[in-house]
Amino acid sequence: MKSYLLVAVILFVVFFNSCNNYSKQDVFHGLNLDPVNDSLTLPGNFGLVVVSEGVGKARHIYVRDNGDIYVNLESKVEDSSLVALRDTNGDGWAEDVKYFDNYRGTGIAIDGNYLYASSRTEVFRYTFDGNELLPNLNKDTLISGFEAKSNHHPKGFTFDKLGHIYVNVGSPSNACMEQFRTPNSLGKDPCPELEFNAGIWKFNKNKINQTQQIDGIKYATGIRNAMALDWSEANGGLYAISHGRDQLNTLWPGQWTDEENAELPSEEFFKVDEGDDFGWPYCYHDRFQNKKVLAPEYGGDGKIIGRCEDVKEPLIGFPAHWAPMDLLFYTGDMFPERYKNGAFIAFHGSWNRAPLEQKGHRVVFVPFKDGKLATDKWEDFAVGFPHTEHVTGSSRPKYRPIGLAQGPDGSLYIADSRVGKIWRIIYMGK
Amino acid sequence: MKLFLRNTRCRILCMGFVMFFIAGCRNENSKIHSTDITVEKKNAKIETPEYLEGKKYFNQYCMACHMQDGMGVPGMNPPLVKTSWVLGDKARLIGVVLNGLSGDIEINGELYSNSMGSFATLEDKEIALVLSYVRQSFGNDAGPVTQEEVAKVRASIK
């Protein structure tokens, strides 16, 4: 009988609160859980806290060991493009929000007492003196000299444990065509863009005023754009996930249908070792044939392999055009054991599937075991980010995942690019 | 919370009811907020053969980036709905198709930073038809672009 009374009371409370978007009636370790997971679908026993309704058009996000949150923005807010957030009372919501500095970029991370952040052409370094929210704004330029370009400019980066920083330098073009994105234009051969672009460059993380040309080591090449990269000590090194090329159908009319273009090529998740070549622009990955094939700009027809014989294959080919924006190896203790050292990937969602329905905006999980992929299967982790509208060939999600970070307690933070909403995912099963 | 979790049967029951009520209210919560520009789906224009041919070229050459409804992709490819580029100076509009366009541009407060290639390989007539289609679709209502106008701009940039 008692339990029915409890049911009635709870129903009453929930009923009156659930129609209010901001109602919080569940509390877990002091955190105000969103009762409906903000309409996202998560695996069982995971819940979330909304950290911010929107900080501006977010890119990457990082959480300091004291719980302070740092986000790099794609557009300026109040003439600033970096933002720091602090939850002052432990309920999960960040009350204290401070904007600083003013370039538009992508990468952000903390290493020791330094905050690193990238613009489109530089990587900067700020110093924390203590526990303050904002670092000293007298920053150093760590690296400069990256070519300014409008395609694939995001300088995502990560660190190893030996004092290096690895920076993604995307390709300035889609497929290194002689005529930029022009139907039937052949590819430049060799592709001159590969000299200072379309790869991952390695630098000293402690030396200021480096330039790409003088100090950069081309760690790996043939990578169209892998702004999503992370170093995993447990899995033996650097991993990245790259955006595959666009427009097979419209650049090579008659050779690829709209349906084929919507599913080709793969977004490639790979382990990156020094000296690797992943084959862009000469090759692309076809996940149905499970191999790299020659690109049409270089004589390919979707089957010929040719010079792609020796390029390194991905670990997993993800569905085409989903747009991987961030990669995070989970090292926390909060989530169940199977998540340990596995990879979370934030997909922004497609645009190049038109006229077919756009797809992909979600966060997925790739399990790892004993330093390797556990299987070649990946699974959805956070899905159901709402759309504003569905029109054939067009989709405008209200939220699109773009940044991932791990909190000191093992929470997983997800940042959205449309308005900069931030969610903190927690596991409640323990 | 602890008390609540302890009784599994109660928890399952509650969850069921909770889901039920939440579902009832969710329509309200997840109401579609269009942060982008309103889409106007109706095409006032009569679908003449020229209009349909322009539409064919649009779907073939432009849709990949600007989408079937001309709404583009946030942050990447701009919309073609009532922008000053589409409705304004025709020579400038023709120039975009002949030369391509890159660098950041801001339209209705949103920055777009992908790049558009040149379509100079299309014939004057095809460009005229596709631009006329654009100027008369997606809620746009502006006069057509002629083949001669395209030829004139093409000559000026050679």
Side-chain angles (χ1 to χ4, degrees):
Chain A
M1 192 59 221
K2 242 190 203 153
S3 66
Y4 286 117
L5 199 68
L6 192 63
V7 171
V9 170
I10 289 167
L11 273 180
F12 185 78
V13 172
V14 169
F15 182 66
F16 278 92
N17 282 324
S18 63
C19 291
N20 171 355
N21 234 340
Y22 301 100
S23 75
K24 309 274 166 68
Q25 87 276 25
D26 258 358
V27 175
F28 181 82
H29 293 308
L31 295 168
N32 273 336
L33 296 187
D34 190 291
V36 295
N37 286 348
D38 202 30
S39 89
L40 303 188
T41 305
L42 302 170
N45 288 336
F46 282 90
L48 65 79
V49 185
V50 173
V51 175
S52 168
E53 282 294 332
V55 293
K57 295 192 187 305
R59 287 279 180 166
H60 286 172
I61 175 170
Y62 198 89
V63 183
R64 198 180 175 191
D65 53 15
N66 66 2
D68 290 349
I69 303 163
Y70 298 84
V71 185
N72 200 335
L73 304 177
E74 162 70 4
S75 334
K76 293 183 189 180
V77 174
E78 298 168 10
D79 213 35
S80 301
S81 66
L82 294 175
V83 57
L85 301 97
R86 178 175 284 182
D87 168 13
T88 52
N89 59 8
D91 65 355
W93 174 263
E95 294 81 14
D96 200 356
V97 180
K98 287 199 168 64
Y99 288 87
F100 61 108
D101 225 331
N102 61 354
Y103 44 85
R104 304 160 49 216
T106 293
I108 195 153
I110 293 170
D111 191 79
N113 271 343
Y114 296 115
L115 171 73
Y116 295 78
S118 63
S119 69
R120 294 176 171 198
T121 52
E122 291 115 339
V123 179
F124 299 109
R125 192 184 74 174
Y126 305 77
T127 309
F128 287 108
D129 296 321
N131 206 30
E132 70 284 4
L133 181 56
L134 290 193
N136 187 330
L137 297 185
N138 245 332
K139 63 178 182 284
D140 288 315
T141 301
L142 193 80
I143 312 161
S144 63
F146 297 115
E147 187 182 309
K149 58 195 168 207
S150 41
N151 275 246
H152 310 149
H153 47 71
K155 300 287 174 296
F157 58 80
T158 189
F159 306 104
D160 65 13
K161 304 285 179 237
L162 299 167
H164 303 109
I165 177 172
Y166 299 81
V167 184
N168 168 58
V169 189
S171 67
S173 70
N174 174 39
C176 209
M177 291 174 133
E178 270 163 27
Q179 309 285 316
F180 183 81
R181 288 194 194 254
T182 301
N184 303 310
S185 172
L186 292 178
K188 297 176 197 162
D189 200 356
C191 174
E193 296 175 13
L194 290 165
E195 190 180 359
F196 288 112
N197 294 280
I200 294 171
W201 266 257
K202 175 180 171 182
F203 300 87
N204 183 332
K205 77 173 182 197
N206 298 312
K207 184 177 162 207
I208 61 170
N209 297 325
Q210 299 173 82
T211 66
Q212 185 193 14
Q213 291 72 12
I214 295 170
D215 308 277
I217 294 167
K218 194 191 289 187
Y219 190 72
T221 190
I223 303 172
R224 185 168 170 275
N225 181 26
M227 59 187 275
L229 71 178
D230 197 13
W231 183 273
S232 171
E233 211 48 31
N235 302 315
L238 185 65
Y239 288 77
I241 170 162
S242 181
H243 296 234
R245 56 157 309 146
D246 306 322
Q247 291 185 274
L248 280 169
N249 58 338
T250 48
L251 296 176
W252 297 94
Q255 295 196 45
W256 279 269
T257 63
D258 291 345
E259 287 71 24
E260 286 166 337
N261 173 72
E263 300 298 340
L264 288 172
S266 312
E267 307 288 50
E268 298 178 48
F269 178 42
F270 34 62
K271 165 110 197 292
V272 188
D273 295 308
E274 186 151 15
D276 281 346
D277 180 356
F278 292 93
W280 183 91
Y282 312 114
C283 317
Y284 70 82
H285 186 258
D286 177 330
R287 71 192 163 96
F288 304 102
Q289 302 183 63
N290 195 22
K291 63 185 179 203
K292 297 242 173 153
V293 293
L294 195 61
E297 289 76 13
Y298 297 90
D301 62 356
K303 293 189 183 66
I304 303 173
I305 297 173
R307 69 211 272 185
C308 303
E309 194 85 58
D310 298 327
V311 301
K312 190 163 169 181
E313 297 283 339
L315 299 170
I316 297 179
F318 277 91
H321 313 305
W322 279 19
M325 306 305 264
D326 207 359
L327 169 67
L328 178 105
F329 280 93
Y330 186 77
T331 56
D333 295 322
M334 179 196 270
F335 290 6
E337 192 54 32
R338 67 182 295 269
Y339 288 92
K340 195 93 178 208
N341 298 315
F344 286 99
I345 302 169
F347 285 102
H348 207 210
S350 67
W351 61 272
N352 197 223
R353 287 174 48 88
L356 280 77
E357 189 195 333
Q358 305 295 352
K359 287 190 176 166
H361 59 302
R362 65 189 62 199
V363 175
V364 310
F365 178 69
V366 184
F368 274 65
K369 202 173 187 321
D370 305 326
K372 299 193 295 288
L373 275 189
T375 66
D376 56 0
K377 301 270 186 304
W378 50 272
E379 56 201 60
D380 283 333
F381 183 75
V383 294
F385 294 88
H387 286 251
T388 48
E389 172 140 25
H390 259 298
V391 190
T392 319
S394 193
S395 111
R396 278 167 278 277
K398 185 173 164 195
Y399 303 116
R400 310 180 79 180
I402 194 157
L404 298 171
Q406 183 183 309
D409 65 348
S411 307
L412 177 74
Y413 290 72
I414 304 175
D416 138 69
S417 71
R418 295 300 298 139
V419 296
K421 189 160 186 169
I422 301 169
W423 300 270
R424 174 172 169 188
I425 314 288
I426 58 168
Y427 183 66
M428 301 173 300
K430 273 181 193 168
Chain B
M1 188 67 207
K2 269 277 150 58
L3 186 79
F4 172 49
L5 279 176
R6 213 177 286 152
N7 187 329
T8 327
R9 195 176 45 148
C10 159
R11 202 172 108 207
I12 293 165
L13 245 170
C14 289
M15 283 309 191
F17 279 111
V18 167
M19 292 316 251
F20 178 77
F21 279 114
I22 290 170
C25 303
R26 271 275 283 299
N27 277 346
E28 192 76 67
N29 288 347
S30 57
K31 205 190 232 120
I32 290 158
H33 307 278
S34 184
T35 44
D36 307 314
I37 314 126
T38 337
V39 197
E40 293 189 34
K41 287 185 194 106
K42 68 168 196 291
N43 278 328
K45 292 295 145 202
I46 302 151
E47 304 200 336
T48 61
E50 289 78 22
Y51 182 85
L52 291 174
E53 206 180 334
K55 181 177 183 173
K56 188 184 96 190
Y57 295 136
F58 181 83
N59 286 341
Q60 190 172 341
Y61 300 117
C62 321
M63 181 202 62
C65 299
H66 293 290
M67 303 292 125
Q68 215 152 35
D69 59 356
M71 289 291 292
V73 180
M76 295 198 68
N77 309 320
L80 301 176
V81 182
K82 296 182 177 166
T83 68
S84 66
W85 295 84
V86 171
L87 301 181
D89 181 23
K90 286 199 238 175
R92 182 171 76 156
L93 175 62
I94 295 164
V96 170
V97 175
L98 286 173
N99 299 321
L101 197 64
S102 57
D104 290 345
I105 63 170
E106 191 177 327
I107 288 179
N108 299 326
E110 170 122 17
L111 280 165
Y112 295 89
S113 58
N114 198 3
S115 308
M116 170 169 157
S118 150
F119 287 88
T121 50
L122 300 188
E123 290 166 18
D124 293 347
K125 180 160 175 243
E126 295 172 319
I127 294 178
L129 286 169
V130 78
L131 288 179
S132 300
Y133 169 77
V134 167
R135 280 162 62 91
Q136 295 169 8
S137 304
F138 324 130
N140 297 325
D141 191 6
V145 170
T146 65
Q147 194 174 333
E148 291 70 34
E149 286 168 323
V150 178
K152 212 171 127 199
V153 178
R154 197 193 288 269
S156 77
I157 57 178
K158 264 198 180 137

